[in-house]
Amino acid sequence: MQHLIPYTRDQLNTILGQRPGETRLGHHLLLSEAQNLSDTLQLAKDKGARFVLLGAGEDAGPRANLGRGGATNAFEACMKWLVNLQSNRFYRGDDLLVLGQLDFHDLLPGDGAALDELRQAVASMDERVTAVASAIMDAGLEPIVIGGGHNNAFGLLMAVKQAFHRPAAAVNLDPHSDFRLREGRHSGNGFSYAAASGALDFYHVLGLHELKNSEANLEQLEAFGGSWHTLQQIWVRGEISLDDALRQISKALKATDLPVALELDVDAIANMPSSAMTAAGVPLMDAARYISHMAKHCDCAYLHLAEAAPVCHDAGIDAGMRETGQSLTELVYAYIRGRRLASGG
Ligand SMILES: N=CN[C@@H](CCC(=O)O)C(=O)O
C-alpha cells in the first residue's frame, strides 16, 4: 500500500498470548484486507470499523528540534499491550482497524544528518501524514495516531482541513506549546505552521509549563489567540481543579463548531520515556481523564499520542517498551470508550 506498511495477521499472532477461556482484543481487531488504502478502509468500514490505529514511527522531528531521538517504536510497544487486553462487555475490539505504520524509510536521514536535511525530511513526511490521515477521515473514520514526534500534529491538522474543508480546533496536553518560530519544520512548531496554513483556528494548551516556553513563544501564541491552563495553576497551586479546566476547555471547543484535534505529548506525563522526559509531569491517569473527557464531550476528528520513546527509559529498551506500551494502550482505550459513550455505545 502506498506509503504504508500494513500490520499483518502473522505479526499479530506472534504477540497475542492465549489462556484457555479468554478472548482478547487481538482476536477481534480488524486488519488490512486489500491492496490499496481506500478499499482497505471501505472493507473495514463495512465490517463495523470506526477507529483506525496508525503508527508514525520516526524521530526526525525531535532531532530536527535538537532533541533526543528514539520515538520510532511506540506503535509496536502499544500493539504488544493492546492486543492482549481482554475482549469483554466493556469493549470487544471489533470497531478498530489496525492499519499499520506510515512508511517513511525513503525520507529518514541518517544519524549524522545536518539540521537543514532533517527539517526538509520532516516537511516531506508531513505530506505523507496528511495524505493517509485525510483518506481515513474522508472514509468517515477516526485516526488514532501513535507517534513519532509531535511534528506530525501539522500533517494531521492539514488532514482535518483537507477532509472537513474547515480548520481544526485543537487541544493539547503538553508542557510546551509547540508554537515556536517557523524556522523549518520540527517537533516544536507543528501548531504555528498549522495556524499559518489556515489549518488551525483555535488552540488551547493544557498543562503548559510556566518556565518551558520562551517569552517570544508565549507572545506569538497569544497574538494568534491561543489560550492555556498552566501545569502549575492546576497541579501545583491548585487554582483550578483539573475537572473544572476540562469543562471550560470542552465548552470552548464546542463553541467553535469546528472538528476537534485531540493532542497529547507524552512528555506531559511524569517520567514517561520521551525526548523531553520529565519528573515534573502529570499522572498518567490524569492524562487518560483528559482524553476521556474530550472524547466524550467534543466532536473529535482524531487522537494523536506523540513523542513516546521507549529507548529513553533509564532501565533500557525492554522497560521502555513495557512502560510506553501500557501507558499508550490506556490512553487509546480512554479515547475509544469516551467516543463510544458519546454516541451512546
Ligand atoms: N515536541 C516537543 N517540543 C518541545 C521540546 C522541548 C525539548 O526538547 O526540551 C519544544 O520544542 O519546546
Side-chain angles (χ1 to χ4, degrees):
M1 229 179 293
Q2 210 187 5
H3 304 317
L4 267 172
I5 309 165
Y7 196 79
T8 66
R9 179 74 52 195
D10 283 349
Q11 280 174 292
L12 191 148
N13 286 339
T14 59
I15 56 171
L16 184 58
Q18 186 69 67
R19 275 204 198 101
E22 290 181 351
T23 308
R24 302 191 180 201
L25 295 185
H27 292 111
H28 288 296
L29 297 173
L30 303 168
L31 299 177
S32 301
E33 285 183 26
Q35 295 305 311
N36 68 65
L37 182 57
S38 57
D39 289 351
T40 295
L41 295 171
Q42 193 52 55
L43 276 172
K45 207 172 168 194
D46 294 344
K47 289 187 170 180
R50 172 170 178 187
F51 308 102
V52 178
L53 199 66
L54 175 68
E58 56 78 27
D59 62 2
R63 289 195 289 134
N65 192 15
L66 300 170
R68 286 195 295 174
T72 47
N73 44 6
F75 177 80
E76 288 94 336
C78 180
M79 283 306 294
K80 202 166 173 189
W81 289 93
L82 185 70
V83 302
N84 283 304
L85 289 179
Q86 301 292 326
S87 169
N88 62 20
R89 70 182 70 186
F90 296 105
Y91 186 52
R92 276 171 57 81
D94 49 7
D95 61 359
L96 177 59
L97 166 67
V98 181
L99 186 58
Q101 297 230 57
L102 283 157
D103 187 359
F104 294 133
H105 83 275
D106 54 322
L107 301 176
L108 288 176
D111 281 346
L115 211 53
D116 275 358
E117 201 186 338
L118 284 163
R119 291 179 178 180
Q120 283 298 333
V122 174
S124 303
M125 288 171 1
D126 289 340
E127 291 174 20
R128 267 180 213 183
V129 175
T130 301
V132 174
S134 62
I136 297 170
M137 294 171 193
D138 281 342
L141 299 166
E142 294 176 30
I144 298 175
V145 181
I146 311 280
H150 215 167
N151 41 291
N152 295 311
F154 174 69
L156 291 169
L157 291 162
M158 292 299 283
V160 172
K161 185 183 173 202
Q162 201 166 302
F164 293 86
H165 309 290
R166 283 184 299 163
V171 56
N172 181 21
L173 173 56
D174 197 334
H176 319 96
S177 70
D178 289 355
F179 208 86
R180 298 210 347 242
L181 281 182
R182 286 177 281 126
E183 58 195 355
R185 289 286 295 114
H186 58 62
S187 64
N189 58 20
F191 296 90
S192 41
Y193 270 92
S197 307
L200 183 67
D201 201 55
F202 173 98
Y203 183 36
H204 188 90
V205 187
L206 174 65
L208 177 132
H209 194 291
E210 292 177 3
L211 301 181
K212 290 186 180 172
N213 297 270
S214 70
E215 184 53 34
N217 182 190
L218 294 172
E219 281 166 16
Q220 184 165 285
L221 179 56
E222 213 164 32
F224 165 72
S227 51
W228 59 75
H229 289 92
T230 74
L231 180 70
Q232 285 75 11
Q233 273 179 308
I234 298 174
W235 283 275
V236 179
R237 297 192 295 272
E239 291 165 7
I240 179 172
S241 72
L242 174 61
D243 282 344
D244 282 348
L246 294 176
R247 277 190 285 270
Q248 280 179 7
I249 300 164
S250 55
K251 192 171 165 202
L253 285 165
K254 270 193 282 191
T256 67
D257 212 20
L258 294 171
V260 168
L262 184 50
E263 292 276 347
L264 167 59
D265 188 323
V266 303
D267 68 20
I269 301 170
N271 295 316
M272 188 60 59
S274 55
S275 172
M277 184 171 175
T278 181
V282 309
L284 170 66
M285 297 320 265
D286 280 357
R289 191 172 185 84
Y290 152 73
I291 288 180
S292 170
H293 180 95
M294 295 305 155
K296 190 168 167 197
H297 296 285
C298 300
D299 196 6
C300 296
Y302 71 81
L303 170 68
H304 182 204
L305 303 174
E307 299 270 345
V311 74
C312 293
H313 196 293
D314 289 344
I317 181 84
D318 289 349
M321 293 293 277
R322 190 166 56 248
E323 183 150 352
T324 57
Q326 289 177 353
S327 306
L328 291 167
T329 297
E330 203 60 45
L331 299 170
V332 168
Y333 177 58
Y335 180 76
I336 290 176
R337 186 79 172 129
R339 298 297 292 148
R340 288 171 59 97
L341 286 170
S343 53

